[in-house]
Amino acid sequence: MKKLFLLFAIVVGFTMVGCKGDPNEKPNGGGSDNTPKSLLQVDKSTIYLGETVNFTVSFEDQDVTTRSVVYNIDGGALEGYSFTAETTGVYKFYALYKGQYKSDILSIYVKGEDSLTYPKDHNPGNIAFHHRAVVIDHTGVNCSYCPGMIDRLLMLDESEWGDFYNEVTCHAGGMAHDDPAFSAAADMLNQFHSYYINGYPQVCVNLHTARVDNTVNFVKDMGGVLQNYIKKEGADVGIAMSVDKLDNSIICSAQIKSAKYQEYRVNAWLLESDIYSPNQAGATKEHHYYYHHALRNTSESVSEADFAGLNIGTIEAGMTYDYDCEIARESGWVAENMEVLIVVSAKNFDGVWEVVNTANCPVGKSLPYRYVGEPESLSDAVYGSDDNFGEEQLATPVVEIKDIAETGFTAEWGAIEGASSYTLMLNGAVYTTTDTLYRFQNLSRGDYRLFVKATGEGYKDSEYSETKSVSLTGPSSIDWFTQSVDLVDDSQENIMDGINSSNAFTYSWKGDSVTAIKSYLYYADRVPSSYEEVISELPEVEAAVVEQVNSINGYTFTYTALEADTEYALCTFVTHENGLQYLAKSVIKTNKCVISSAVEAWLGKWSAYTEDVYNFETGLRKEHRDFTFTVTADEQNSGYVWVDGLSAQGEGVPAYAKVTFGENGEYILGILNGVVMEHIGGDLYAEWLSNCITYTYYDYDYDGKYDGEYDMVYESRSFMWEEFTGISLVMSDSGISCEFHEDWLYEDMSYKVNFMDVFIFNTDSGQVDFFTETDGTPINEFRAGAYLGITKLE
C-alpha cells in the first residue's frame, strides 16, 4: 500500500435564489451542429475600390480550394478564387466543396476614400492593451428576481472592476415571453450558453470563462473571476473602432492589433440601451424598467455551438487586421441608443475559442486603442483618419539576418531614401535605430519573428518588411545563477528529524540580478519532452525567495518525504534583469531505503490493551479491550512504517506512522492523522481521522474580573483532518507508553485527541460517515484512551 495525502476542500452548499424557465422553452444546452462544413477564408475582409481579395477553402484542415467553387450571393459563381470590387458596399460569399459541403457566409467590405475609418494609432510602438472581459447577464421580463441582478450589476460597475469589462444583456429563453429586449441573436446566445445557465438571473463571463449566480456575494464572486482572468499587464489584442448609422443598418470600421503571434476570430455585437418595459416582474425601482446593452444582432453568423465569429487567421505580434462590417437594424430599434461591441477570441489551453479582449463604441463615436495605464477618458475623444493620408510612402526595407549566436543575431538592411529612422518589431517588442543594422543580444531560447519599417519626416511610414524568422538555442551556460543539489547526509541529527539520504535532498540557489524564478520538482522520467512545455508548467517562486537568492548567502531548501531509490529532476527557469532567461535542470537519485535503529526497534508484532471504549451513542466508558498490531517498514520511504491492527475495524486498514528519535534517545512512533488509506469509489475515501475533545478558554472570571488564569467555558467533540501526529508510542529505557496528543489550536482554544480510527470521508458533501466500515458494516464503538501494557510478541 502506498500512502496518499489529500487536501480536502469542504464545499458549503447553497440554494440559488432565482427563477426557473419553462423546460420546454429553455434550449437543451450547448449542442452543436454536426453537419460537416467547408471553411471559406480570405486574405483580408476590408478593401478599397480597385483592390483584390483572394479566397482559400479548407475541409477538415485540408486545403481544398481548387476542388471547390466560391459563390458571390448576388452574382453567382466566381471564375476563380479572387474578387475585385467595382462599387463600394458589402459583398457576401460562400464556398461549396464537392457540391455538398457548404461554408458559412463570409462578408467583404469595400470602402471608398471617404468611408468611415477607425482612429489612427496614437502609440504605434505599444502593445500593452487595456483588458476588458465581456459580462453577459441572462435575464428576462418575467423573472421576478432579475431586478435584484440589475442592482448588483450596478454595484459591480461602481467597484474597482468597473473598468475591466463590457456588459451585454441577453433577454431570451423561458423568462423572456413578450420581452421588448428579445432578439434572434439573444436567443442564439441563450442557446449557446445553455450548458451554463440553469435558472434566471445568471451571469456568464466571456464565452466559457465562468458562471456567477445571483447571491449576496455576487460582487465579491465576480471580482474573484475577473481577478483570475484579466491580464493587467496587457491583453492579447487591442481594438480601435468607429461606429455610424445608415438608414437600416449600423456600420463599424475597426482595426485589431495583436500583442502575440496567434490565430484569432472576430465578431461585432450590436447592442441597444434605454429599452423600456413596463411589465418587468419584481420591479421596485424606476431603473428596473429599463434595459441596457441588450444584444440585438451580430455581424457574423452564429449558432448554438459557435459564437466566436469570423476566422481572421494568424496575426503577427505588433501587426494589425482591418475589420469592417454592416449590421442590419430592425424597425423599432433606436439607432441613437445603439453601440457596437467588438469581441475578439483565440483558442485557450483546452482548444476552445475564448474571448481575449473586447471594445465598445456608441453610434457616432470613435474609440482609439486603449493602452495599459491610459485613462478611460481618452476614449471619449473622436479621432480622425490617418493624418499621413495622401503623402508619399517610403520604400519597404529588405532585411537580412546575420551572425546568429545562442542568444542573439544581427539584422541588416539597405538605406531607404527619405528615411530618418527605422522601427523594428521583434515578437511584439519595439526597437528603433538610425542605423541600417541592429544587433539583438541577451535573447532567450525560442523562435523570433522580425519586421522592419522606415520612418521619415514628411513621408508616410513604409510597409513593414517581409517576416524574418530566427530560432535561438538559448544560453548553454550563464554566470549569474547557479543551482546545486545534494543528498541529505545520514547524520544522527538528520535521522532524529526523520530525514536521510533515501528520502530527502537539499538544493541551493545563488544569483546576481535575478528578477524572477519558476521551479518544480519532477520525477526524472516525467519531465515534459519540450522546452516550451516545461516553461509553461513551472509555478512562480515568491518574490521573497528571489530576493534571498540575490543575497550574499543565497537560498537553501530541503525537499523531504521523497521516495527511496528514485531519480528526481529539479527544473528551474530564471530571468535576469537584462531580460535573458535560462532553464537549469539538476538530476539527483535518492539512496535505497535506510532502516534506522529507531525503525528497526518497532518492527514486528505487538500486543496491547486499553481500558477505555468510546460509543457514539453513550459516550466514553471504562471497559477492557485486548488487541494486537503489526509494524512493517515502508520500503519506499525511510523513517515511515505501517501499523496494522490499531483500527477497531480489524486488520487490512493499517495506520501510517513516522518514526523518529526523541531528545533523550527514545524511539518515537507517531501515527499520522489525515492519511487516506483507500479510495472506496466515487467521492468516498477511507481516511485516518482524530476524534478530539475541543476546549475553549476565557481569560476572565465569570464576574468579568481577570483572575490570571484561563477558565474553560466550552467543550465539544470534533474530527480533525490536518496531517499531524495524533498518537505517539514512545519506547524508552523505562518501557513503552502511549501518548494521545494535546495542543493549542488558536490563542484561546485547545484540543485533546480522544481516539483515532478509519472513517469514510465524502469529498462531495464534505462529511464523515461515522458508522460505516470500509466494507459497509455498521459500527459505532472504538477503542479510546491510552493504550496500556504494550508488549512485543515477535
Side-chain angles (χ1 to χ4, degrees), residues 316-369:
E316 302 273 0
M319 297 294 99
T320 60
Y321 184 92
D322 289 351
Y323 177 74
D324 289 77
C325 62
E326 182 175 352
I327 312 174
R329 176 170 59 89
E330 293 184 10
S331 175
W333 296 355
V334 182
E336 287 74 19
N337 294 342
M338 306 199 88
E339 58 201 316
V340 172
L341 177 73
I342 294 289
V343 180
V344 182
S345 302
K347 285 185 178 179
N348 61 18
F349 288 114
D350 297 323
V352 176
W353 291 95
E354 182 56 291
V355 178
V356 292
N357 208 2
T358 67
N360 184 310
C361 183
V363 168
K365 296 288 186 178
S366 292
L367 182 79
Y369 287 114

Side-chain angles (χ1 to χ4, degrees), residues 706-764:
Y706 178 60
D707 60 5
E709 297 181 359
Y710 286 110
D711 298 298
M712 186 184 76
V713 296
Y714 182 77
E715 174 184 337
S716 67
R717 282 186 171 84
S718 62
F719 280 76
M720 298 188 68
W721 286 266
E722 291 84 357
E723 181 193 337
F724 71 100
T725 302
I727 301 174
S728 289
L729 304 181
V730 182
M731 185 187 303
S732 65
D733 293 339
S734 58
I736 299 174
S737 62
C738 177
E739 298 176 358
F740 275 61
H741 289 190
E742 181 173 355
D743 204 350
W744 288 96
L745 287 173
Y746 307 104
E747 183 178 352
D748 58 352
M749 184 182 294
S750 71
Y751 70 85
K752 182 177 182 178
V753 174
N754 192 24
F755 66 88
M756 295 183 70
D757 216 312
V758 177
F759 300 94
I760 309 303
F761 186 85
N762 189 318
T763 58
D764 179 50

Side-chain angles (χ1 to χ4, degrees), residues 7-201:
L7 177 62
F8 290 114
I10 308 300
V11 180
V12 179
F14 64 89
T15 300
M16 185 189 74
V17 178
C19 305
K20 290 290 184 181
D22 182 346
N24 296 319
E25 298 269 354
K26 187 175 182 297
N28 274 333
S32 61
D33 182 1
N34 293 320
T35 305
K37 291 181 179 180
S38 61
L39 174 65
L40 178 64
Q41 290 182 282
V42 67
D43 57 351
K44 44 192 172 182
S45 63
T46 298
I47 59 174
Y48 283 90
L49 281 175
E51 289 187 316
T52 299
V53 295
N54 300 295
F55 297 98
T56 57
V57 185
S58 59
F59 184 79
E60 294 182 346
D61 296 327
Q62 299 294 318
D63 189 328
V64 295
T65 304
T66 57
R67 290 173 282 169
S68 305
V69 179
V70 178
Y71 291 86
N72 181 339
I73 287 181
D74 297 322
L78 301 184
E79 292 185 2
Y81 304 100
S82 61
F83 171 77
T84 304
E86 297 180 354
T87 59
T88 61
V90 179
Y91 294 80
K92 298 181 180 295
F93 302 86
Y94 68 91
L96 201 60
Y97 170 57
K98 288 187 174 180
Q100 58 179 320
Y101 300 115
K102 184 179 179 181
S103 72
D104 287 331
I105 295 174
L106 182 151
S107 298
I108 303 296
Y109 201 93
V110 181
K111 302 172 68 170
E113 291 185 1
D114 58 349
S115 297
L116 181 71
T117 188
Y118 49 82
K120 180 184 177 183
D121 189 351
H122 59 283
N123 194 352
N126 198 341
I127 56 170
F129 305 108
H130 182 71
H131 197 182
R132 280 182 178 263
V134 57
V135 169
I136 303 164
D137 53 286
H138 291 273
T139 48
V141 69
N142 300 304
C143 167
S144 60
Y145 292 100
C146 288
M149 177 63 85
I150 293 173
D151 290 337
R152 290 188 171 110
L153 285 166
L154 288 173
M155 292 170 61
L156 180 66
D157 183 57
E158 294 171 357
S159 74
E160 62 177 310
W161 293 105
D163 192 30
F164 290 94
Y165 69 90
N166 287 304
E167 184 182 343
V168 172
T169 298
C170 180
H171 277 219
M175 288 293 115
H177 292 296
D178 301 319
D179 195 318
F182 175 85
S183 68
D187 185 55
M188 192 59 68
L189 180 57
N190 177 268
Q191 294 183 52
F192 177 82
H193 266 159
S194 61
Y195 62 94
Y196 263 155
I197 55 176
N198 55 16
Y200 294 81

